Structure formats: C-alpha cells, structure tokens
Amino acid sequence: MPTEEELFTAVDALLEGEPQLPSPAERARLREAAGVTQARLAQVLKSTTQTVKNWENGRSEPRPPRLQAYQRLLEGWAAKYPLATVPETPPNSVEQSAAAQALNEPAQPSTASASASASASAQDPMRAASPARPSMSRRPAAKKAASKPEASAAAVDERFANGPLAVLDGEGSAYCVGGLVLDCPAKTFPTLVDWALTEAKLGAPRLNRNGKDADPLIVLTDAAAERLGLPAVLEDRRGLRLAEDHKVVKQLAKAKWKLTKRGFGPWARVYRPAEGGKRQCVQFAILPWDALDARSWGDTGQLPPADVASVLGTYATRVLTPRGSTAVCGLELMSALRPPTRAVKDAATGSWVSGPNPGSLTEPVDPAPPEAPAEHPLVAARYPRHHVRTPDQVIDEEAYDWFRPLTDEECTQGYTHAVGLDVNMAFAAAANRLVIGTGPATHVKNPAFDAKLPGSWLVDLSHIETDPRLPSPFTPRGTRPTGPAWYSTSTVAYAVELGAPIQPSEAYVRYEHGAYFDAWYTHLRNAYMATMADLGVSAGMPDEDFLAAMARHKSVDPGQAAVLSAIKSTVKGGIGKLRERPQSIKHKFGEPWPALQRPTWSPHARAELIGKVRTNQHRKLMAWARASLFPVAILSDCAVYLSHGPSPLDFMPRTSDGKPLPGGFRLGVSPGMVKHEGTRDFLWLAQTIEDDQINPARHIKGDDAPDGGE
C-alpha cells in the first residue's frame, strides 16, 4: 500500500503538471465581464468560435499551448472581476485593462449587426437559450428542472424538453442541442428505439397545426455504430442498405419494429403503426455511411459529437429536423408547412376524418404531356424510346447557361477584370408569391393568354428581338427561339411585359391554383437571414461593409457556415425533387416510379419557378443594359461583367445621388440581392471564351469547381 506522503507527492505533481482552469460557467462569466466576444477570443487564441463555446459549456478542454494562454487570460480577468464585484454592464474603455482593450477594439459590432443578432435570437428561442444550458451528463428526468432558462421554459414543449435530436457516441453519451448531454444505456437497436421514444424526450412540435410532430432523430457516430453492431461500411453500395439477414435488422424485426421500403440505410426510419393516434417512429442518421453529404454539410460528419449536435440542432431549430438528404428535407418542409390533409367533420357520422387541406398539394396528379420527363408513361405512350422531343413537344424551363464573344469595343476599352455577381437564394426568392397549380391541368385550344392562370403554353416567341449582348429570356442557352415552343406562365407573362403580341395555339392550364411556396420561402428566408447574422452579415449594411463581411463570413464560425450551406442545398434540392426522375436501376422505361405517388411531384411547379428565376434575372439585366452595362456570361444565378477594377463597386451603376440603379442588381444579404461571386483578370476571361469555349461564369470563383449557383 502507498503511504500518505507518496500519494500527496503524486497529487502535487499532477497539480503542478497541468494548469487548472475555473469551471466552464466561470470562464463565460469572466469573458462577458471583460466585454469580449467569443469570436474575438477565438481570434486571439488562434482557434474557432465553436471551440471557445465548447470550452465555456464544458464539452471540451483546451490543450497546450492554448491551455496556458487561456489560463493566463482567465487569471487576469479573475483578478479584475472577482465574483463579488461583477459589474452589471461591461466596463468602458477607461476601466478595461490593456489586454481587454486589445481584445475588444477590433471586434466592436455595428448597430445593424447587433440589431440583427437580437432579432435572430428573438426568432430562434433555441439559439437564445443555448448558453444557459448545462453540459453535465445526466438522465432526462434529472435534467428537466435545470436545463432551460426560465424565460424560455414556457415556450418549450415538455414532450420534447431535450430538443429535436441527439448524437450518440461510443460510450453511451447522447449530445443534444444547447450542450446538454444525456446518458443512454441502450446497447442494441430495439432498446435504443425504446429509449428515444420514452426517456429521451426528443422531437419537435409540428410546423402547422394540421401537420405532424417531428420524430426523434438519433445520429450515430462511427464509435456508436460499431457499438450497436453496424458495419463500418455498407457492402451494398448501390442499394445503400443493410442485408435483410443482418443481425440488426433481425433484432428490430424480433422486437416488432418495422423499416420503411428504403430499408436500413444511411437515413433509416424505424417505426410501429400508430396506436390511438400516437406515432411510434425514430429517425436514424448513420455518420460512417455518409448520411451527411459533404456537398451540403461540409465536414460536419467528421466533427466531434457535440459539434455535430450543435450544427444539426441549429438546422433543426431553424428549418426542420433532418429526415434525409437536404433535398429530401426541402421537399419534406413543403409538406410540413402545408400538409396535404386536415381533420374535417363527417356530416353523416359527426366523426372527424381526414380531408384535403385547401391551398396544399393534396393528391398526386398527372403532369401535362409537355411537362413530363422522357421516362413518364404519358411520354412513352406518345413517342418511341429514343425520340428526342422538339421545343413544340416538351417544355424546357431551365436556368441560364450562356456566354457570348467579346465585342471589338470591349477589347479596346482597357478592362482589367471580370467580376461575377451572384443572386442570394435566387430560387427561394422566385418562390415568393409564385402561383402554381394545385390541381390537374386542363387542355385548351387557341386560348387567350391569362397571366393569372399557371400552366404551360404553346406559343411562338421567335419574333421578339433582344440585344445580341443580352441572352434571350426565353431559352436556357440564351439563344433566340426558332418557332413555337412550350413555356410556363412565368415566361410568357414576361414576353407580354416586353410588349410582344402573344397568341398561344394551345395550353394546359390549372384552374385550381395558389401561392403554395409562400410559407416555404418565408421559413427558409428567416433561417438564412438568422444564420447570416450569426456569421456577421446583416441587412442594411453599407456596400463596403457588406463586401468585407461576405469575404470573411465562412471563416467566422465553421459550424454556422455548415448550417448556411445546408440551407442553400435545401432550397436547390427541394426544387429538384419536384421533378424527381427514376432512381432505381430496376426501373423500366415507361413504367411509373415511386416519386409519382407524391402530391409534391410537380414538374409544372418546378418549370414555373425556374422560369421566374430566369425572367427575374433578365429584368435586372435589362435595367443595367439601359445604363450600357452588358454581361458577358451567365450561369444559373451568377452574371459576369467586365470591370476596370476587381470589386463590384468598380462598375456597378449609380444614380446621380449615388444610389443603386432602380430595377437592377443591388448588393445586400437579402434573398434576391447580390453578392460578389469572384473576380478573374481580363486575359483569363478572353482566353476562356475565345480559345476554350467555356462559360467563364462556371469558374469565376477562381477555382476549378463548377458553380451551379445557389
């Protein structure tokens, strides 16, 4: 047995060997007393804002050499701001120590940024509540009273007291939103499902009173997946699912749990049929199986569990609890905000039954023949398999992919740069107030065009002339139409706006219609604006400040940058899902595929929306063309202009009083406004166009990654 003196010597050596930090709560108190932001502290310690957050809520501890530097700073603050004399407000610059001044001066937020952050916090209760949540591991019952600030307790649904999701590690710790860590004793999937539905108190309330509450989401790290018996890699790389005879699948079946038709894959849904109107369903995301696509989520899947919970929790709070890829989330959000059905009273029996919800996409409907993709049964019945449909047989509403040769005048004007302008959330902005059909299409011959009727119109727009330095607003390639072609109402309405005589020869119109996407747009806009505010970009900033903030916003907080990327992917992917084509290798040409059974499968809605994106962009191009500014290339929502300098401010037109030209592009963070996409030198642009015959907008960012827009 060791002697008392030996034990004391060992303890003293341990104490001397590593700096001792105050508690996480005290660290946050000292920083706030000194008036220093987490972002500024991260900058000084050459770390990240999320790492500082982790130190202050106990998720992680600093390591040398940051450990010693952090301890030195905390000791200095502790001497100046002892617990008994904490000032009610941050000290002014006269009272601050030199070290605190050095930390603070570069990081003073503007009034606009502060207002935006306050507004975002008011709209996002989970975000506002996060700093007050404890990080100690505890079971849900013990955590209930201490985890939520009093101000937000009334707004939290007690059924989902621990938030929408948990990230499970290999040691049985479940990391939730706001730094909360729960103990999860489950060692098999059936017990994990039971825990998620009973003890964990996970989930989220419905977004619409006629919708459904969000099911708990359990995210499995590599270690958790191994602990529960899952393989590190899925052998079925094509089907992306576990074999039916795998022990995990057998365990679930033995416990009377069911899997959806997708089987047990990266996004597995485990359920039992609802009993008494109560859902019994848990969603799983398997990180080692690439549940979080890097194209949408960046490196989120490789982060520590607490950081994964922070990123996914923010997305779940602002958008919805993830249920699959961001494309799936985009589509699910449409249905969550405008459910297809609602409870109605049966006049005959007096009981409540499910009925269609007015203004929603309530049931699957067939597209008009020109709107259907080539594999659709309607098309297969009309044309041979390898027939290439012409513009008068198929609608072609897609985003721009256009560029033109430089004029002699442009080559002699001494331009030094090509500057790209990208429209923020262009496709989401186009969804705002867009009217689409919510019922079946009606075929009419020789109709009078009605801009209030969504649908598809066969009309000849080849007689409309546009400046050769501008793309045609009627085709994705920007070329002039050569004869009759099918167009959405959005596109034909713009032709009428240009003053052209219009006489369709036939049309498929939808007499049942509405602004279906309005709630979807508003929800995603709010999520986008709150996230941009967290990244230091807010509405109303002066142009110079906005450009500077955008240049650094992705490095301010990698976690929030991942949320921003996911929100943008939710918009793009959701719109793409409106015309989802067959995914299975077993699909036979001309046969229906599963997506056709969704009320939200609507190629008409996608065509209307993309037509509006393109015509919105052309309207702004025209406004600048009247000021003698013409683009040289466009890809999706990015337009490239020639400039005598590297900044958008070097060429963007202004009125006589210095304001942006009415009707044109305007710098700003709001959806529909533009940001700086990238700058390349003039010689590169000329070579790309003349020699390589490549659209320069594809690489204006200065890298080799194609730019598909937002």
Side-chain angles (χ1 to χ4, degrees):
M1 292 290 290
T3 65
E4 181 178 334
E5 182 178 353
E6 289 174 337
L7 291 174
F8 278 23
T9 301
V11 169
D12 290 342
L14 180 62
L15 290 172
E16 294 173 0
E18 188 170 293
Q20 299 300 303
L21 297 176
S23 68
E26 177 66 2
R27 301 168 200 174
R29 184 194 72 78
L30 290 171
R31 177 186 54 75
E32 292 170 356
V36 176
T37 65
Q38 290 176 329
R40 182 59 185 149
L41 179 55
Q43 181 181 357
V44 169
L45 295 179
K46 303 296 188 290
S47 185
T48 66
T49 305
Q50 186 59 51
T51 299
V52 173
K53 291 179 181 178
N54 293 344
W55 295 345
E56 292 186 356
N57 57 34
R59 296 179 192 170
S60 65
E61 294 292 328
R63 296 180 179 179
R66 292 187 180 89
L67 175 58
Q68 291 81 359
Y70 190 33
Q71 183 196 32
R72 182 178 181 181
L73 180 63
L74 292 174
E75 288 176 349
W77 281 341
K80 190 164 184 65
Y81 310 114
L83 189 60
T85 59
V86 178
E88 294 183 3
T89 58
N92 58 37
S93 59
V94 175
E95 297 172 329
Q96 286 175 326
S97 66
Q101 287 181 8
L103 284 167
N104 245 351
E105 285 173 1
Q108 294 296 330
S110 67
T111 302
S113 297
S115 299
S117 297
S119 175
S121 296
Q123 295 173 6
D124 191 347
M126 294 297 290
R127 176 177 150 210
S130 293
R133 294 207 173 202
S135 59
M136 296 176 61
S137 178
R138 65 189 76 206
R139 294 193 182 277
K143 170 254 170 202
K144 186 186 303 181
S147 65
K148 298 180 295 295
E150 294 180 6
S152 62
V156 175
D157 189 325
E158 283 301 316
R159 296 174 301 161
F160 315 123
N162 296 330
L165 56 88
V167 181
L168 189 64
D169 68 9
E171 299 177 356
S173 294
Y175 296 80
C176 304
V177 173
L180 173 70
V181 183
L182 305 177
D183 295 327
C184 176
K187 295 182 180 180
T188 66
F189 263 94
T191 56
L192 179 56
V193 173
D194 288 334
W195 175 83
L197 291 172
T198 56
E199 294 183 57
K201 292 193 174 182
L202 297 173
R206 64 197 69 187
L207 296 178
N208 182 289
R209 65 191 183 102
N210 295 312
K212 300 174 182 176
D213 296 328
D215 299 315
L217 169 62
I218 304 295
V219 182
L220 301 184
T221 60
D222 295 38
E226 181 181 0
R227 181 189 188 204
L228 291 164
L230 295 178
V233 178
L234 276 176
E235 294 182 4
D236 182 1
R237 301 307 300 167
R238 187 177 295 275
L240 290 178
R241 62 176 63 192
L242 277 181
E244 295 295 327
D245 59 354
H246 191 277
K247 66 176 183 179
V248 167
V249 177
K250 289 183 176 180
Q251 287 173 356
L252 290 168
K254 185 177 181 180
K256 309 299 183 183
W257 290 106
K258 298 179 179 294
L259 294 168
T260 62
K261 292 181 180 179
R262 290 187 299 180
F264 201 106
W267 288 92
R269 186 174 287 270
V270 179
Y271 73 99
R272 284 180 182 146
E275 295 181 359
K278 184 178 180 181
R279 288 172 60 83
Q280 301 180 82
C281 184
V282 179
Q283 177 77 61
F284 288 94
I286 319 297
L287 296 186
W289 297 353
D290 298 325
L292 299 181
D293 191 329
R295 292 170 296 181
S296 302
W297 293 98
D299 297 330
T300 301
Q302 309 303 318
L303 296 175
D307 294 337
V308 175
S310 176
V311 172
L312 294 182
T314 301
Y315 180 88
T317 302
R318 294 179 182 171
V319 184
L320 85 166
T321 305
R323 305 174 187 179
S325 67
T326 49
V328 169
C329 291
L331 201 67
E332 290 285 341
L333 182 62
M334 296 178 195
S335 297
L337 292 167
R338 287 191 181 274
T341 60
R342 65 172 180 171
V344 296
K345 183 168 285 188
D346 189 322
T349 64
S351 60
W352 291 95
V353 297
S354 179
N357 191 17
S360 298
L361 299 176
T362 59
E363 60 183 3
V365 297
D366 285 334
E371 298 164 355
E375 305 90 345
H376 196 279
L378 285 174
V379 180
R382 291 188 172 211
Y383 307 105
R385 177 167 186 171
H386 299 292
H387 173 76
V388 178
R389 288 183 288 174
T390 55
D392 61 340
Q393 296 172 338
V394 60
I395 193 169
D396 186 23
E397 294 285 15
E398 299 293 343
Y400 272 131
D401 185 356
W402 167 88
F403 65 100
R404 63 171 174 82
L406 300 175
T407 66
D408 292 340
E409 182 181 3
E410 288 169 336
C411 292
T412 59
Q413 287 296 309
Y415 290 113
T416 56
H417 295 85
V419 180
L421 297 176
D422 185 77
V423 181
N424 301 319
M425 298 278 282
F427 294 93
N432 189 27
R433 297 190 297 274
L434 176 69
V435 176
I436 66 166
T438 55
T442 300
H443 186 218
V444 291
K445 287 283 191 179
N446 300 313
F449 176 69
D450 185 349
K452 296 181 180 179
L453 275 182
S456 299
W457 310 77
L458 182 61
V459 60
D460 189 352
L461 302 179
S462 61
H463 60 285
I464 303 177
E465 293 190 19
T466 55
D467 192 299
R469 292 169 293 181
L470 289 175
S472 166
F474 309 123
T475 63
R477 289 289 181 176
T479 55
R480 186 170 175 174
T482 57
W486 286 97
Y487 302 99
S488 68
T489 297
S490 299
T491 300
V492 182
Y494 185 61
V496 173
E497 182 181 322
L498 294 177
I502 300 298
Q503 180 51 59
S505 57
E506 59 178 304
Y508 289 90
V509 296
R510 289 162 171 83
Y511 295 107
E512 297 176 35
H513 53 262
Y516 175 76
F517 292 117
D518 275 8
W520 188 74
Y521 161 75
T522 301
H523 193 80
L524 287 167
R525 178 203 62 196
N526 292 343
Y528 165 79
M529 294 295 287
T531 306
M532 290 300 290
D534 279 352
L535 292 170
V537 188
S538 55
M541 299 178 77
D543 289 349
E544 294 83 357
D545 293 347
F546 169 72
L547 292 174
M550 287 299 299
R552 63 175 181 267
H553 79 286
K554 290 185 179 179
S555 61
V556 170
D557 186 332
Q560 291 293 333
V563 174
L564 178 66
S565 174
I567 291 171
K568 293 179 179 180
S569 295
T570 300
V571 174
K572 289 191 296 184
I575 293 169
K577 282 278 188 181
L578 292 171
R579 196 191 63 168
E580 182 178 357
R581 304 180 86 160
Q583 303 294 309
S584 173
I585 59 172
K586 298 180 180 179
H587 176 261
K588 294 182 180 180
F589 184 84
E591 291 186 353
W593 58 95
L596 303 188
Q597 300 305 310
R598 294 195 311 249
T600 49
W601 192 84
S602 176
H604 144 72
R606 178 183 178 275
E608 288 284 6
L609 197 152
I610 295 180
K612 187 177 177 183
V613 170
R614 201 179 60 250
T615 53
N616 280 351
Q617 193 170 17
H618 195 273
R619 190 176 291 108
K620 295 177 180 179
L621 296 173
M622 289 279 286
W624 275 18
R626 289 190 286 270
S628 299
L629 265 79
F630 296 89
V632 294
I634 303 174
L635 181 69
S636 188
D637 45 10
C638 174
V640 178
Y641 282 86
L642 300 177
S643 173
H644 291 287
S647 169
L649 299 179
D650 292 321
F651 73 93
M652 295 185 76
R654 302 276 177 174
T655 61
S656 57
D657 57 356
K659 295 182 179 180
L661 196 69
F665 298 108
R666 299 184 62 180
L667 289 172
V669 67
S670 299
M673 301 179 80
V674 299
K675 63 179 181 293
H676 182 204
E677 181 72 353
T679 297
R680 300 295 289 261
D681 63 72
F682 180 82
L683 292 179
W684 171 87
L685 176 84
Q687 179 182 350
T688 302
I689 291 177
E690 303 297 340
D691 298 340
D692 301 334
Q693 293 293 301
I694 295 174
N695 187 341
R698 189 172 297 276
H699 300 285
I700 194 65
K701 284 184 177 179
D703 55 31
D704 294 328
D707 175 26
E710 293 184 0

